[in-house]
Amino acid sequence: AERFAPSAGWFVDTMAAVFEAAGDAAPRSLVHDLLALLADGAGDGDDAADAELRAAAAGRCLAVVGEPEAAARASGRLLTVVAWVLGEYGHLAPPAVNPGGVPAVIEALARAAEAPAATADTPGGEEVRAMLVSAVVKLAGRARLASLPPGGAALLRSAELSRSTEVATRAAEARFLLPALGGGLPAALVEAALPSRDGLAAALGGAAQPQALDPALPALDAYVADALAAGTASPYLSVAEREARGLV
């Protein structure tokens, strides 16, 4: 479609409509085409036009998660696109679409994290949630917010308790990183901490992932064994075992 699109803006609107209608049935190649267009620009060297395109895409994605009902219906694939676009360009969303500025975008992303497609009960849901957490951190850091709005803060608190190592790690890192970013770090350090296009490979379904951790954490086995031998710790019980014993 991008080869014959009358304009880049038309292509963005059309792809957004496709993702809303098709959900996870939409080919991943369409995600690639859309995000590559936004990341690289239309290719004609017009920076102003590229900025306008990105602002329009941010406004379109914000409309997807701006209403709780719309966010609840969004598929995982659509939320992945929304998270990456708003994390990179959410601050560009036109005031007519987003009069609340960056805090309003963060609150919309936090609401999206409550959607069924971003929960642990849905296949791929933890990956979607990780993308949404990263988007919140990026926006807050680049806007130098002294503190997160209530929804964003609640998202990070809940994410730290996630069973997903990826999600919990991102949230824990954000808790220590954001106060420093809001405290006036030089722009170069902000970019180093929150690099542009971070997470693009994950959004495009590439092999590269921001984190590559073994959820079993084998590096801690020796410490656990020592604690068990010393009697200072109890053997780990799975969630099912704790439920069976009435401990949760």
Side-chain angles (χ1 to χ4, degrees), residues 91-117:
H91 60 291
L92 299 177
V97 177
N98 179 40
V102 168
V105 179
I106 290 175
E107 292 288 72
L109 288 166
R111 287 194 298 271
E114 301 304 316

Side-chain angles (χ1 to χ4, degrees), residues 127-182:
E127 289 78 4
V128 174
R129 193 173 184 82
M131 291 286 293
L132 291 166
V133 168
S134 290
V136 166
V137 176
K138 277 188 178 185
L139 279 172
R142 288 173 179 162
R144 306 299 183 94
L145 296 183
S147 62
L148 287 173
L155 170 59
L156 290 192
R157 286 196 299 270
S158 67
E160 279 198 77
L161 302 177
S162 172
R163 297 178 190 175
S164 165
T165 305
E166 173 77 10
V167 175
T169 299
R170 292 193 190 196
E173 289 174 345
R175 181 160 54 88
F176 289 97
L177 181 62
L178 285 176
L181 293 175

Side-chain angles (χ1 to χ4, degrees), residues 147-242:
S147 62
L148 287 173
L155 170 59
L156 290 192
R157 286 196 299 270
S158 67
E160 279 198 77
L161 302 177
S162 172
R163 297 178 190 175
S164 165
T165 305
E166 173 77 10
V167 175
T169 299
R170 292 193 190 196
E173 289 174 345
R175 181 160 54 88
F176 289 97
L177 181 62
L178 285 176
L181 293 175
L185 282 181
L189 291 182
V190 174
E191 176 60 25
L194 302 170
S196 298
R197 303 191 184 189
D198 178 44
L200 181 58
L204 297 181
Q209 295 290 337
Q211 299 283 341
L213 300 176
D214 183 348
L217 300 177
L220 300 179
D221 287 348
Y223 298 99
V224 173
D226 289 344
L228 291 174
T232 57
S234 301
Y236 173 76
L237 298 177
S238 68
V239 174
E241 291 172 323
R242 279 177 274 166

Side-chain angles (χ1 to χ4, degrees), residues 19-109:
F19 290 131
E20 286 181 304
D24 289 333
R28 188 170 289 276
S29 61
L30 294 183
V31 178
H32 179 281
D33 292 342
L34 175 58
L35 299 192
L37 172 65
L38 293 173
D40 298 331
D44 55 7
D46 189 338
D47 291 340
D50 289 341
E52 184 177 350
L53 171 65
R54 290 161 183 156
R60 187 69 173 81
C61 287
L62 185 58
V64 171
V65 294
E67 295 295 333
E69 295 81 4
R73 294 193 304 269
S75 66
R77 191 151 297 174
L78 176 57
L79 288 181
T80 295
V81 172
V82 166
W84 188 84
V85 171
L86 291 181
E88 292 292 333
Y89 310 120
H91 60 291
L92 299 177
V97 177
N98 179 40
V102 168
V105 179
I106 290 175
E107 292 288 72
L109 288 166

